[in-house]
Amino acid sequence: MAYSANSKGRVIFHIDMNCFYASVEMAHNPKLKGKPIAIAGNPEERKGIIVTSSYEARAKGVKTTMPVWQAKKLCPDLLLMRPNFDRYREASRAIFKMLSEITPLVQPVSIDEGYLDITDTKELGTPVEIAEYLQQRILRELDIPCSLGIAPNKFLAKMASDMKKPLGITILRKRELASKLWPLPIEEMHGIGAKTAEKLKKVSIHTIGDLAAHDVYSLKQLLGVNGERLKNLANGVDYRPVDPEAVHDFKSIGSSQTLAHDSTDWDELHQLLDHLVENVAKRVKRKSATGKSVQLMIRFHNHQTITRSKTLQKYIDEKKDILFVAKELLKKHWNEEPVRLLGVSLQNLEEKRQVGEQLDLFTYRDNVKKEKLYETMEELADKYGKNVFLSLNSEKDKEQQPRTSFQKDFLDDYKKP
C-alpha cells in the first residue's frame, strides 16, 4: 500500500463515516452493537421512512428511504430508533476538529464526509500512515468507524472511499483506472444518478470504462456540457481544489418533510407548508441572505415527484412572503392526489449586503427594528430553549419527522475550528 507524498501531484483524502447515524447510536449505547438497528423518522408509523441502518440490518435487505413496514418484513428483529440530530451534530463537529488538526485544507460536504488535501503534510508521515492514524483515532475516541480514499484528486478519492467498507483505506492511482475503476457499473460512478445512467445505457455505456472511451461529441449531444465533464472524471481528470470556504457557498436554502401518512387534506398540507417555510426563513436570516425564487417540491403517494418554482421581481426573506408564494404554487400545481412529502426552498440567493435594499425609508426603518427583535429572540432561544416563545394561536407541537435538509443544515452551521 505504498503511496508517496513526494510526487508533484496532490494527495487528496475523502473520508466517509460508516453508517454514521447508526454508528453514533451504537457508540452511545454499546448494547446495540452487532444488532440490526435502523434510524426512522417515525418508527411507530407503518409509513415512517428508514433514514439509515446498521450493516447487520443492511445484510437483511433494509435500505435507506424504505418504509418501516417493509423493513420490518425483511428483518422482523429490526430495532427502530428515532433520530437524535443533536447527538449526530456533536459527533460530526468532533470528527471535523480532528481533521482540521491534520491540515487546514478540509472541505466538509455533509455531516459525515469531507475532503482533505494533505499534500503539504509530509512531516506527519506517509498518506497511508496519516489515514490509519485518523481512522484509528476516530474509532478510539468516538467509537465510530470510517473509510478513507486516497487519490490525486477529489473524484478518485471519493470513488476509492466507497470501494471498501467498513474501516477501509483504499488507494486509487491514475495508472490503476483500467483495473480498479473502469470495470465498475456506470450507476456506481459518483455524480451519475438513475436517470443519467438510464440515458447512458441506451447508447451502450454500461461501465465507467465505456464512458471513459466514448466519443465526447455524442456525450455532449446526449447530456450537454455535463457529458464532457463526466467523461473527464471517468478518465481521472478532476482539477477541483479542496476548498474550505466552499462550505459557505450557497444558492438555495430549503426544508422538506415526509408526512406520517399520505394526505389529501388541504389544511394539513398548509400547516406543513407553514412549518417548512418557518425553517427556511430562520436559516435565511441566520445567513443574512435574501432570495428571489421560491421552489415547491411535491412527492406523491406513488413516489412521482414534481418541482415547480416562481421567480420574483425583487428579493424576499420574510416568512410571510415565502409562504405566500409557496401556497400559490401548491394551489396551482397540486392535482389533489395523495401527498407523501413536501419541500420548500428559497433560491437565487445573495448576501443581503450585496443586494441593494428595495425598500423605501419607512419600510427600511421597520425592517431594521424587526431584525434587532429577531436577533434578541434568537439569543434568548439559544439560552433558554427553542420553545421560549409560543404563539397564542399555536397548537401543541407535533412529533416531527426528520427533514431531508438536515445534511445541509449541518453545513450552514459549520464553523472552522
Side-chain angles (χ1 to χ4, degrees), residues 119-137:
T119 307
D120 297 322
T121 60
K122 303 179 185 68
E123 71 282 358
L124 299 179
T126 67
V128 172
E129 289 171 343
I130 296 171
E132 289 174 341
Y133 166 78
L134 276 175
Q135 188 180 70
Q136 291 304 312
R137 184 182 176 190

Side-chain angles (χ1 to χ4, degrees), residues 248 250-253 280-292 315-318 322 346-355 357 371:
H248 303 293
F250 57 94
K251 292 299 179 186
S252 69
I253 291 176
V280 171
K282 284 179 180 177
R283 293 169 57 204
V284 166
K285 278 186 168 52
R286 193 163 70 228
K287 294 185 76 73
S288 298
T290 184
K292 60 189 305 185
Y315 286 92
I316 60 173
D317 55 43
E318 294 291 338
I322 303 170
L346 185 64
Q347 303 184 332
N348 295 333
L349 297 183
E350 296 289 347
E351 291 185 40
K352 267 191 174 181
R353 57 190 173 88
Q354 294 181 350
V355 176
E357 293 279 10
E371 287 194 356

Side-chain angles (χ1 to χ4, degrees), residues 84-309:
N84 187 324
F85 292 140
D86 289 337
R87 187 175 293 155
Y88 308 151
R89 285 178 186 272
E90 183 181 355
S92 182
R93 291 190 182 103
I95 290 164
F96 279 102
K97 184 175 186 298
M98 292 181 195
L99 303 186
S100 68
E101 291 172 6
I102 298 294
T103 173
L105 297 177
V106 178
Q107 180 182 338
V109 292
S110 75
I111 190 171
D112 67 339
E113 64 173 315
Y115 294 100
L116 297 81
D117 187 331
I118 66 150
T119 307
D120 297 322
T121 60
K122 303 179 185 68
E123 71 282 358
L124 299 179
T126 67
V128 172
E129 289 171 343
I130 296 171
E132 289 174 341
Y133 166 78
L134 276 175
Q135 188 180 70
Q136 291 304 312
R137 184 182 176 190
I138 293 169
L139 187 64
R140 182 178 66 252
E141 296 184 19
L142 300 176
D143 202 10
I144 297 173
C146 67
S147 293
L148 292 100
I150 306 173
N153 60 51
K154 290 167 76 173
F155 170 73
L156 293 180
K158 168 66 176 174
M159 293 300 299
S161 70
D162 285 336
M163 289 179 176
K164 185 180 178 183
K165 292 183 177 182
L167 288 172
I169 295 177
T170 305
I171 298 170
L172 183 56
R173 306 170 181 85
K174 285 192 176 181
R175 65 175 181 267
E176 298 171 322
L177 297 186
S179 60
K180 286 188 175 182
L181 185 70
W182 289 349
L184 296 177
I186 193 64
E187 57 266 26
E188 290 187 19
M189 178 171 162
H190 177 59
I192 291 185
K195 290 184 178 179
T196 302
E198 188 178 333
K199 288 181 181 179
L200 292 172
K201 287 179 179 179
K202 287 180 179 178
V203 293
S204 300
I205 297 177
H206 298 282
T207 67
I208 298 177
D210 292 337
L211 175 61
H214 206 79
D215 174 63
V216 68
Y217 177 77
S218 61
L219 284 172
K220 289 173 78 172
Q221 291 288 102
L222 182 68
L223 302 174
V225 293
N226 197 39
E228 183 175 8
R229 184 184 70 85
L230 290 174
K231 177 182 169 69
N232 287 336
L233 292 177
N235 281 289
V237 178
D238 182 9
Y239 299 113
R240 295 172 300 157
V242 173
D243 181 8
E245 295 302 318
V247 70
H248 303 293
D249 294 342
F250 57 94
K251 292 299 179 186
S252 69
I253 291 176
S255 183
S256 60
Q257 186 168 325
T258 302
L259 289 143
H261 53 85
D262 298 336
S263 178
T264 57
D265 186 329
W266 182 261
D267 291 334
E268 184 177 20
L269 296 179
H270 270 211
Q271 186 177 0
L272 176 56
L273 212 56
D274 185 276
H275 177 63
L276 296 175
V277 171
E278 184 175 349
N279 290 333
V280 171
K282 284 179 180 177
R283 293 169 57 204
V284 166
K285 278 186 168 52
R286 193 163 70 228
K287 294 185 76 73
S288 298
T290 184
K292 60 189 305 185
S293 180
V294 176
Q295 178 175 282
L296 175 72
M297 178 174 67
I298 307 172
R299 180 168 298 154
F300 297 101
H301 63 105
N302 58 2
H303 294 285
Q304 179 191 358
T305 303
I306 64 169
T307 56
R308 298 292 183 267
S309 61

Side-chain angles (χ1 to χ4, degrees), residues 19-22 37-40 49-54 58 62 64-65:
C19 303
F20 181 59
Y21 295 174
I37 72 169
I39 313 301
I49 299 299
I50 300 295
V51 178
T52 190
S53 59
S54 64
R58 294 181 187 189
V62 177
T64 300
T65 73

Side-chain angles (χ1 to χ4, degrees), residues 300-336:
F300 297 101
H301 63 105
N302 58 2
H303 294 285
Q304 179 191 358
T305 303
I306 64 169
T307 56
R308 298 292 183 267
S309 61
K310 180 174 182 178
T311 300
L312 310 172
Q313 293 298 313
K314 65 177 186 177
Y315 286 92
I316 60 173
D317 55 43
E318 294 291 338
K319 174 186 173 180
K320 60 181 177 60
D321 297 326
I322 303 170
L323 185 60
F324 178 84
V325 181
K327 284 184 175 180
E328 189 179 57
L329 289 169
L330 181 63
K331 184 177 180 180
K332 183 176 180 180
H333 298 290
W334 179 39
N335 60 8
E336 299 190 356

